[in-house]
Amino acid sequence: MAGFNTTAIHAITENENEAIVPPIYLASTFGQPHTGEEGEFEYQRGGNPTRAKAEQAMATIEGASFARVYATGMGASAAAMGMLQAGDTLLMGMPVYGGNYRFGTIELPKRGVKTRFIGDLAQLSDADFDETVKMVFFETPTNPTLRVADIERVAEIAHRHGALVVVDNTFMTPYLQRPLELGADITVQSATKYLGGHGDLLAGVAATNSAELDQELFKAQLISGNVLPPMDSYRLLQNVKTLGIRLDRQQANTEQIVQFLTGHESVARVLTAGSANEAEREIQARQASGIGALFSFQLKEGANMKAFLDALEVFEFAVSLGGIESLICLPATMTQGAYSAEHLEEFGVEENLIRVAVGIENVEDLIADLDRALTAAFSSAA
Ligand SMILES: *Cc1c(COP(=O)(O)O)cnc(C)c1O
């Protein structure tokens, strides 16, 4: 089998006029062959040749039988969790991205679906399931605490009870981790992050190997209009071609920055995928290729957070991740701002936790930026 970059670059080859990139079809509707006879495409909400190419590329990259693309990552999450019906229960591995949390705490209750939060999936057992539990939804590593769950083990327990397993694979991407091969039924991703990769595209992907689940994922597009437009579909399938090389660089930069911060006199602790304990380190090493390009850390007591953030010149203080530019944010008030105070505390999203999304800049410049900010954090009174 060809390597990841070759596959990503050549996922779409058969284009009209031997064009090396696919055309963009903007048509809202498509002429039909005859009465009672349907063409391949009928109306853009239901399907469009450019979106179909993006979906084909996403499935190929993930090694999945089917993929669907949505207007945003939350569109993909909503399509998967939207399969639940009144009376069902969802088990949500915590912490999750703030938008997934919102869907579980605000949207699902309106539909008569109960969400139960599981703080540590390593403790998941048969006792967590009754006949109402129809789905387990989680992220690994988690956002922003970088806790790692054993996808194979969660899938085995869930399947024993007839529940679907949905993994939000945004942080790792199919380049570093392939949940479907580990037993997950559906993966969802915010393609706004690594797949798009340039901070200028909102998109989501859901992939599965089940034709039946794919039809449900399609219905979410057709019924609710939750679709990725042709222009954005085109940009997604172009941008994803460089996913492997971008992530290689992002991950290499991350390793060096983590090394710089670990044991630094101004830094209390650094959280990376698998750093929580030896068991998680082992799971991460087994089910993923590396730690990714996202980590969190805390400054020592007495740090002036404002001075730290103000001193940064290369890192932008902003939510999001996965782009070529490095970003820093404070999850408790930003990405996890929707959490109740109790849930922030219960799931370890501490107020002074700093989340870092590493880009592809020259790593010496990123380290120098952090070095300057660390000095500033402790040279002015908090
Ligand atoms: C950003 C993000 C989402 C939501 O994606 P959007 O494209 O912003 O809708 C979902 N899951 C995770 C882990 C994310 O980081």
Side-chain angles (χ1 to χ4, degrees):
M1 208 176 81
F4 186 88
N5 291 323
T6 310
T7 303
I9 290 162
H10 297 282
I12 302 299
T13 46
E14 306 286 310
N15 296 314
E16 295 89 333
N17 305 315
E18 305 295 321
I20 60 160
V21 299
I24 304 172
Y25 286 88
L26 296 173
S28 58
T29 193
F30 299 82
Q32 302 303 301
H34 293 289
T35 168
E37 205 176 299
E38 273 174 36
E40 190 182 351
F41 299 99
E42 186 183 12
Y43 182 69
Q44 199 192 113
R45 175 160 32 76
N48 159 287
T50 314
R51 189 167 97 214
K53 290 255 181 6
E55 292 178 332
Q56 186 193 331
M58 293 305 123
T60 301
I61 285 164
E62 183 143 358
S65 305
F66 309 95
R68 300 280 171 183
V69 294
Y70 300 90
T72 86
M74 276 318 301
S77 288
M81 289 191 266
M83 292 181 198
L84 294 166
Q85 300 176 15
D88 291 349
T89 300
L90 168 74
L91 298 186
M92 191 172 250
M94 294 297 281
V96 284
Y97 172 71
N100 290 331
Y101 175 86
R102 254 187 231 112
F103 202 88
T105 53
I106 299 173
E107 182 60 25
L108 288 181
K110 286 199 285 189
R111 303 181 184 192
V113 177
K114 222 166 83 190
T115 302
R116 214 168 75 231
F117 298 114
I118 307 276
D120 183 3
L121 282 170
Q123 305 298 320
L124 188 76
S125 74
D126 292 320
D128 289 304
F129 292 80
D130 58 27
E131 65 283 4
T132 70
V133 175
K134 295 288 162 55
M135 184 181 286
V136 182
F137 183 105
F138 64 104
E139 301 168 14
T140 180
T142 58
N143 181 4
T145 53
L146 286 310
R147 295 296 302 272
V148 171
D150 187 334
I151 299 170
E152 228 163 359
R153 180 178 171 277
V154 171
E156 192 189 300
I157 300 171
H159 288 162
R160 233 177 3 243
H161 297 273
L164 291 174
V165 173
V166 182
V167 176
D168 183 331
N169 200 35
T170 300
F171 278 18
M172 288 284 110
T173 83
Y175 181 54
L176 299 177
Q177 177 170 282
R178 295 171 167 257
L180 296 178
E181 291 169 13
L182 300 167
D185 300 288
I186 299 171
T187 58
V188 295
Q189 277 182 91
S190 170
T192 307
K193 315 296 167 53
Y194 293 100
L195 305 190
H198 295 72
D200 60 358
L201 174 67
L202 277 167
V205 185
T208 182
N209 288 325
S210 153
E212 198 182 327
L213 291 175
D214 178 60
Q215 275 311 300
E216 294 301 310
L217 293 170
F218 167 63
K219 278 190 219 159
Q221 296 178 319
L222 184 70
I223 294 173
S224 61
N226 174 7
V227 298
L228 193 65
M231 293 276 206
D232 290 345
S233 295
Y234 174 80
R235 294 195 310 137
L236 173 60
L237 68 84
Q238 281 297 88
N239 290 7
V240 84
K241 292 175 181 176
T242 56
L243 175 66
I245 58 166
R246 281 186 276 112
L247 254 172
D248 283 345
R249 172 65 170 254
Q250 285 169 300
Q251 188 158 256
N253 280 358
T254 303
E255 281 160 10
Q256 287 197 51
I257 295 168
V258 164
Q259 197 170 23
F260 166 74
L261 292 176
T262 303
H264 191 287
E265 57 176 8
S266 305
V267 174
R269 60 179 187 143
V270 183
L271 306 176
T272 60
S275 71
N277 54 52
E278 185 50 30
E280 292 188 17
R281 197 200 57 74
E282 185 272 323
I283 295 164
Q284 181 70 13
R286 175 158 44 82
Q287 73 184 12
S289 317
I291 59 165
L294 201 111
F295 70 95
S296 297
F297 73 104
Q298 282 169 313
L299 301 174
K300 284 214 172 124
E301 200 87 3
N304 183 336
M305 185 68 85
K306 185 172 184 311
F308 174 79
L309 295 171
D310 284 349
L312 292 170
E313 288 170 9
V314 183
F315 283 88
E316 190 70 44
F317 180 50
V319 296
S320 204
L321 59 120
I324 52 176
E325 60 285 309
S326 294
L327 305 175
I328 265 186
C329 80
L330 299 175
T333 50
M334 296 169 83
T335 55
Q336 257 81 8
Y339 275 47
S340 64
E342 296 75 42
H343 281 161
L344 285 176
E345 158 119 29
E346 182 180 350
F347 303 121
V349 187
E350 293 176 35
E351 203 182 339
N352 64 352
L353 197 65
I354 302 168
R355 195 188 76 181
V356 185
V358 180
I360 68 169
E361 299 94 336
N362 294 90
V363 71
E364 314 77 56
D365 297 327
L366 294 174
I367 289 173
D369 204 37
L370 288 170
D371 197 24
R372 184 167 50 241
L374 288 170
T375 304
F378 289 91
S379 56
S380 48

